[in-house]
């Protein structure tokens, strides 16, 4: 749906002072999205392969901003077969956890065990061995203001 996103989808994401004194951080803001909301996604491998993160316990990141952000991990089991996944039926119900953002930088550790599907899509089992991308999104109707830094497996 129509909405306002800064930067636009055609621009590079800007940087601003980051967490823990880092030189830069991702910043995206917007409003007016009425059907699907808005967000950003980071593909972990552009060649279509899945990342094996079984040696890790989860993902952690520093964030600040306003509103609630939904952090999602897309796996082979939640991506449709047409896109290289194994999901048949209602797909894209990725494994997720929701967080209320604060104005100050805060560290958010997300253990694999805390990730759950919302339940509207085809049920799947989380497999850390088949991760495709990470997503940070806001629900429809919500304004978004997200600063993100130091995303890493732990």
């Amino acid at each position: 749906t129509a909405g306002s996103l800064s930067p636009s989808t055609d621009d590079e994401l800007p940087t601003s002072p980051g967490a823990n004194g880092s030189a830069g951080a991702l910043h995206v803001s917007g409003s007016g999205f009425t059907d699907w909301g808005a967000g950003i996604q980071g593909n972990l491998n552009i060649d279509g392969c899945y990342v094996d993160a079984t040696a890790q316990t989860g993902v952690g990141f520093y964030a600040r901003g306003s509103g609630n952000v939904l952090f999602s991990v897309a796996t082979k089991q939640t991506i449709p077969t047409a896109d290289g996944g194994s999901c048949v039926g209602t797909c894209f119900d990725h494994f997720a956890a929701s967080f209320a953002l604060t104005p100050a930088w805060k560290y958010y550790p997300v253990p694999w065990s805390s990730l759950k599907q919302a339940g509207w899509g085809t049920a799947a089992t989380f497999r850390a061995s088949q991760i495709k991308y990470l997503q940070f999104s806001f629900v429809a109707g919500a304004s978004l203001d997200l600063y993100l830094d130091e995303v890493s497996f732990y």
Side-chain angles (χ1 to χ4, degrees):
T1 58
S4 169
L5 186 66
S6 177
S8 73
T9 55
D10 296 327
D11 295 335
E12 289 187 32
L13 295 173
T15 59
S16 61
N20 300 315
S22 75
L26 175 146
H27 179 220
V28 63
S29 61
S31 63
F33 298 95
T34 57
D35 284 347
W36 292 97
I40 58 167
Q41 150 181 325
N43 292 323
L44 300 180
N45 188 322
I46 60 172
D47 293 332
C49 298
Y50 290 89
V51 171
D52 183 351
T54 53
Q56 283 73 40
T57 308
V59 172
F61 55 89
Y62 281 88
R64 71 178 181 93
S66 61
N68 291 316
V69 64
L70 182 67
F71 170 71
S72 304
V73 177
T75 67
K76 184 174 185 175
Q77 294 71 32
T78 60
I79 297 172
T81 55
D83 295 336
S86 62
C87 178
V88 176
T90 306
C91 304
F92 300 110
D93 186 5
H94 303 310
F95 299 91
S98 182
F99 301 95
L101 296 174
T102 62
W105 285 109
K106 181 178 175 184
Y107 181 68
Y108 297 88
V110 187
W112 301 141
S113 61
S114 72
L115 298 172
K116 308 287 183 232
Q117 288 181 282
W120 52 261
T122 302
T125 300
F126 180 79
R127 292 192 173 93
S129 62
Q130 297 176 324
I131 297 175
K132 181 71 169 183
Y133 57 84
L134 306 178
Q135 223 172 31
F136 296 85
S137 58
F138 290 76
V139 298
S143 294
L144 67 112
D145 187 27
L146 172 67
Y147 290 81
L148 186 64
D149 202 1
E150 299 184 24
V151 179
S152 64
F153 292 111
Y154 67 87

